[in-house]
Amino acid sequence: MKKLFVLILTLVAAVALVGCGESSNSGTSIAENNYTVETVENLKAQADKSVLVTFRIPFGTNIQAVIREFADEFEAEYPSVKIELDVVSGYDDMKAATIQDINGGVVPTMTVGYPDHFAEYLITKSIIALDNFIENENVGYSQEELDDFLPGYIKENRQFDNAGSYVGLPFNKSTEALYYNVEFFEEFGLEVPETWDEMEALCARILEIVPTLKNDQYSWLGKIEDHLAAGEFVPCLYDSGGNLFTTIIHQFGGKYTESIYKSNGIVDVQRGSLKFDTSPEAKEALTYLQGLATKGYFNMPDSMELSYGSYAYNVGKCIMNIGSTGGSGYYSDAICSTAVAPIPYKDASHKNVIQQGTNVCIMSQASDLQKLAAWLFIKHMLTPENTAEFAIVTGYMPVRQSAYDLPEYLDFLDGPTTAAKVHKATAKYAQQGYEYFVDAAWAGSSNVRTECQAAISQILVDKANIDQALQEAVNRIG
């Protein structure tokens, strides 16, 4: 595992900015950059707990506890600052609350969000460009420190203008992995698939095996006869229809969406360009998946009226499930032992895998002292040591290259937990030449994802006509 970050760097460096234009280091900034970088001396001179930083997050108690630990450490170093966690359950509700505050409420000092969330905030320049802080000789990052961030994550935060303005920094990041039933594979001499062709052949073999088995014949399979009789067994499920839709299109060399650049080099954050409905490769990809579903090899949890495939996996209703690396804890109740592998790819030239998770930004309505305190707190949370600790506790991935080589992180990778297995598996993406991709983001682009998820459910679960399902998705998007 030594020098694991070199492998990760190889992968994320391959991510290119989405859209129609290449980034340069000059031009108009889409984010607010008219602010003053206050001094640390002035910040420390303020009265105890007089500089309030509200950090709006959507996370559960596990992640809250880690952030609170970081906040307590930071407050001990900066007694004038009080970090207050503003928890709004759910990403959509958090975004809605933030937009409401932008339009007339009390805006948090800082928050996390997906790129399409940031796009919506950027309509009113409610996010600052972090460049003034990053480049400041007293509180910024050296080039070496900046280069220590995984390049793909940085590029996601610089996609909104040709100036390459930093609208945020990476915070909690994950990808997808293949979770599989170890005992089933070992008992029947099966090999983990690397390509979709191998997945297809494997699923066919699984469907030959399971009808010969009895309820509770194997403790790690459960009541297989009952599942088959109820029509509730599929060899492989894929948790997220939205992720599946865009991933398979990229793997087949198709197009999903593109950014639209204005003449001043700024991305139009209020609209984007749909490509999936006219891309021949996209239709080819969806046709292939529909064929797998028709044969009973592969589907989404919707086919069992479930939200996540892990529910089916845990009781033996599937042998494999493709899901988020951030959700490894949901497999702890499985009746089988669980191993983790990379997701399948189409061929050696199209080994695409999604990157997901939020970034952290500072809101423009904060005072300059609040902005400085928020910036220093972000830096504190994103030290190599703290991003490694965050990853170990939460299952998300470190965002700094050097974190992958820390002794405590290497010890974690050698542990028996499913989270450790996930982190080892995702390292293979670099070793095996996978490429993370980032899709274009604009205000409302999450609706594109929602409607495409509905479309792929219709295509796989209902076996709907593909052209019709795509056109209906386009019509709903408007």
Side-chain angles (χ1 to χ4, degrees):
M1 290 296 172
K2 292 294 183 182
K3 302 302 178 185
L4 176 59
F5 74 85
V6 175
L7 300 172
I8 304 297
L9 174 60
T10 303
L11 171 59
V12 294
V15 180
L17 282 171
V18 293
C20 308
E22 294 295 324
S23 281
S24 64
N25 291 321
S26 61
T28 305
S29 174
I30 194 171
E32 180 59 57
N33 58 8
N34 186 23
Y35 64 91
T36 299
V37 177
E38 273 281 3
T39 65
V40 172
E41 291 75 17
N42 192 24
L43 178 64
K44 288 186 173 181
Q46 305 304 306
D48 283 2
K49 300 187 181 303
S50 63
V51 181
L52 176 63
V53 172
T54 54
F55 185 16
R56 179 166 289 170
I57 56 175
F59 306 123
T61 55
N62 185 40
I63 299 179
Q64 287 180 44
V66 183
I67 297 174
R68 186 67 257 171
E69 177 187 335
F70 295 158
D72 291 344
E73 294 168 353
F74 183 79
E75 289 174 347
E77 184 176 357
Y78 295 92
S80 64
V81 179
K82 179 181 179 181
I83 305 293
E84 186 174 281
L85 301 185
D86 176 16
V87 181
V88 179
S89 298
Y91 289 98
D92 291 339
D93 288 345
M94 180 189 66
K95 184 189 76 167
T98 303
I99 291 172
Q100 182 177 353
D101 290 342
I102 288 171
N103 292 329
V106 179
V107 181
T109 315
M110 54 190 288
T111 189
V112 297
Y114 293 108
D116 61 287
H117 295 183
F118 286 8
E120 201 150 351
Y121 306 155
L122 286 167
I123 294 173
T124 52
K125 278 201 167 185
S126 293
I127 296 176
I128 69 168
L130 297 177
D131 302 67
N132 292 353
F133 283 122
I134 290 172
E135 297 169 3
N136 185 274
E137 62 181 1
N138 297 315
V139 299
Y141 282 122
S142 68
Q143 191 60 51
E144 181 180 3
E145 290 173 318
L146 197 58
D147 290 344
D148 191 39
F149 284 93
L150 301 177
Y153 299 158
I154 289 294
K155 288 180 179 180
E156 184 178 60
N157 285 284
R158 304 184 72 188
Q159 67 172 295
F160 292 103
D161 58 38
N162 279 340
S165 301
Y166 290 83
V167 301
L169 286 175
F171 190 68
N172 61 309
K173 290 297 183 181
S174 63
T175 183
E176 291 183 316
L178 173 70
Y179 299 83
Y180 64 94
N181 183 321
V182 173
E183 287 88 356
F184 191 97
F185 273 72
E186 290 179 348
E187 177 69 19
F188 300 106
L190 305 177
E191 294 186 4
V192 178
E194 295 184 359
T195 67
W196 282 106
D197 286 344
E198 291 175 0
M199 172 66 81
E200 183 174 5
L202 172 63
C203 290
R205 176 61 183 138
I206 290 172
L207 287 186
E208 292 174 352
I209 294 170
V210 292
T212 68
L213 307 178
K214 303 295 184 183
N215 279 345
D216 301 318
Q217 180 177 346
Y218 298 104
S219 61
W220 38 261
L221 191 57
K223 299 191 179 298
I224 184 62
E225 288 180 294
D226 293 350
H227 300 329
L228 289 171
E232 293 188 343
F233 179 85
V234 179
C236 183
L237 292 174
Y238 202 118
D239 265 352
S240 171
N243 288 358
L244 174 58
F245 189 94
T246 185
T247 298
I248 199 68
I249 287 176
H250 281 284
Q251 287 194 355
F252 274 66
K255 292 184 178 181
Y256 174 59
T257 58
E258 284 185 352
S259 293
I260 298 173
Y261 282 84
K262 298 179 180 179
S263 59
N264 61 358
I266 288 179
V267 166
D268 188 335
V269 291
Q270 293 185 281
R271 64 192 181 104
S273 178
L274 304 181
K275 297 296 181 182
F276 62 82
D277 58 318
T278 58
S279 170
E281 295 85 358
K283 183 175 180 180
E284 179 189 1
L286 297 171
T287 300
Y288 177 75
L289 287 185
Q290 189 179 64
L292 296 185
T294 300
K295 295 173 183 176
Y297 295 169
F298 174 87
N299 219 308
M300 294 166 52
D302 304 30
S303 63
M304 300 182 191
E305 298 184 353
L306 296 173
S307 299
Y308 296 98
S310 55
Y311 299 152
Y313 175 87
N314 286 348
V315 297
K317 292 185 178 182
C318 66
I319 305 302
M320 297 170 283
N321 185 57
I322 297 173
S324 171
T325 57
S328 61
Y330 293 109
Y331 298 85
S332 59
D333 294 330
I335 61 176
C336 62
S337 301
T338 299
V340 189
I343 69 169
Y345 55 85
K346 181 180 183 289
D347 56 50
S349 300
H350 298 93
K351 301 171 74 170
N352 302 96
V353 62
I354 199 169
Q355 66 159 301
Q356 52 192 8
T358 69
N359 305 300
V360 60
C361 69
I362 300 174
M363 309 304 286
S364 60
Q365 292 86 341
S367 70
D368 285 342
L369 275 175
Q370 288 174 314
K371 289 185 178 77
L372 174 62
W375 167 249
L376 294 173
F377 182 47
I378 289 172
K379 287 190 67 180
H380 178 72
M381 292 190 292
L382 300 185
T383 63
E385 292 77 15
N386 282 343
T387 190
E389 179 183 347
F390 187 86
I392 292 168
V393 174
T394 67
Y396 288 102
M397 297 185 291
V399 301
R400 299 280 293 268
Q401 298 170 33
S402 56
Y404 286 87
D405 206 34
L406 293 174
E408 55 266 37
Y409 187 72
L410 295 174
D411 289 342
F412 162 70
L413 291 182
D414 289 333
T417 66
T418 303
K421 297 174 186 176
V422 166
H423 282 243
K424 284 185 179 180
T426 53
K428 294 179 182 178
Y429 288 141
Q431 295 169 317
Q432 298 173 7
Y434 278 71
E435 180 182 343
Y436 285 130
F437 61 88
V438 178
D439 287 315
W442 64 89
S445 61
S446 60
N447 186 49
V448 177
R449 173 186 172 85
T450 298
E451 298 303 340
C452 288
Q453 177 156 319
I456 199 167
S457 179
Q458 293 168 350
I459 291 167
L460 299 186
V461 179
D462 302 330
K463 312 302 185 293
N465 177 273
I466 294 173
D467 289 328
Q468 182 178 346
L470 295 181
Q471 187 57 54
E472 289 176 355
V474 171
N475 293 342
R476 291 193 300 267
I477 292 166

